[in-house]
Amino acid sequence: MRIQSLLASLFVVLALSGCNPPTSDPNILYTDDHKDPIKELESDKVIDSSKMPYQKTFYVPVYSNIHADEDNPKVMLSATLSIRNSSLDHSIYVKKIDYYNTKGDFVRPYLTKMIELPPMGTLNYIVERMDDSGGDGANFVVYIEGDNAQLSPVIEAIMIGSYSNKGFAFSTTGTPISPPETTKEPSS
């Protein structure tokens, strides 16, 4: 009888522990094949930028939190950066994804190598809800090149969160800006 009780207790513990997803990088955890989406698309291809007629840098606003009311002034949000290649025929090359905070300080790079995003391909990258390193005015800078001047990638950020019985979901769109002059290093 005691062994049956012990086995039943063990079963309950194992069943309940299966309810919580493992703590891990959401960018790997929530993909269909549990692989890092950036690593999967990284390329060692050498691209001659002088031969790329499409070269744009995009500013993408991201909100890691919003103010809901005076009782709980800070509601944390998760954000997904989505880079979509809208071309049916041409790859785009994502050369830089950098994350900045509210003060404009460089927080971290998201790329160590260039990404080749195939025609109609999409790269989604998640900033976790509890990652407040960017503050409420965080942003991404994304630099893209391509071999066709008519490319028009779609770059957005989608934020979601909840507070009490309220749910929040909204998106922002990347805006073309001047290319960066230099690569910044994270501030300490």
Side-chain angles (χ1 to χ4, degrees), residues 78-104:
S78 64
T80 301
L81 173 68
S82 183
I83 302 171
R84 297 169 179 260
N85 183 357
S86 60
S87 173
L88 291 168
D89 304 311
H90 299 274
S91 290
I92 62 173
Y93 303 96
V94 183
K95 305 223 27 201
K96 180 183 285 204
I97 301 174
D98 288 341
Y99 191 54
Y100 291 83
N101 69 16
T102 303
K103 295 178 184 177

Side-chain angles (χ1 to χ4, degrees), residues 14 22 26 41 47 57 66 86 121 136 151:
L14 290 174
L41 294 168
I47 301 294
T57 302
I66 56 175
S86 60
D136 55 0
L151 293 172

Side-chain angles (χ1 to χ4, degrees), residues 19-185:
C19 294
N20 297 322
T23 305
S24 182
D25 183 346
N27 297 292
I28 297 169
L29 184 64
Y30 299 128
T31 60
D32 292 337
D33 53 4
H34 302 293
K35 294 182 180 175
D36 186 331
I38 288 180
K39 296 286 181 210
E40 290 293 301
L41 294 168
E42 284 182 344
S43 175
D44 289 323
K45 192 183 279 188
V46 176
I47 301 294
D48 183 357
S49 292
S50 68
K51 294 183 179 171
M52 292 290 166
Y54 183 89
Q55 296 183 14
K56 293 229 178 180
T57 302
F58 294 86
Y59 169 87
V60 188
V62 178
Y63 299 85
S64 63
N65 62 70
I66 56 175
H67 300 280
D69 60 36
E70 62 277 354
D71 294 331
N72 189 7
K74 190 175 187 178
V75 176
M76 301 300 289
L77 304 171
S78 64
T80 301
L81 173 68
S82 183
I83 302 171
R84 297 169 179 260
N85 183 357
S86 60
S87 173
L88 291 168
D89 304 311
H90 299 274
S91 290
I92 62 173
Y93 303 96
V94 183
K95 305 223 27 201
K96 180 183 285 204
I97 301 174
D98 288 341
Y99 191 54
Y100 291 83
N101 69 16
T102 303
K103 295 178 184 177
D105 297 326
F106 181 78
V107 177
R108 66 180 161 267
Y110 277 84
L111 298 183
T112 56
K113 293 182 177 182
M114 175 189 69
I115 289 176
E116 182 174 356
L117 196 55
M120 300 306 294
T122 300
L123 171 66
N124 289 322
Y125 207 79
I126 299 167
V127 178
E128 292 185 89
R129 182 174 62 92
M130 296 312 290
D131 180 353
D132 198 19
S133 62
D136 55 0
N139 58 79
F140 284 101
V141 173
V142 179
Y143 183 74
I144 296 176
E145 292 183 354
D147 62 2
N148 183 313
Q150 304 306 311
L151 293 172
S152 58
V154 176
I155 304 171
E156 300 172 310
I158 299 91
M159 281 65 61
I160 62 170
S162 63
Y163 166 65
S164 185
N165 64 349
K166 302 172 190 101
F168 304 95
F170 57 96
S171 64
T172 60
T173 304
T175 302
I177 59 173
S178 299
E181 294 177 18
T182 60
T183 301
K184 293 186 176 183
E185 295 300 320

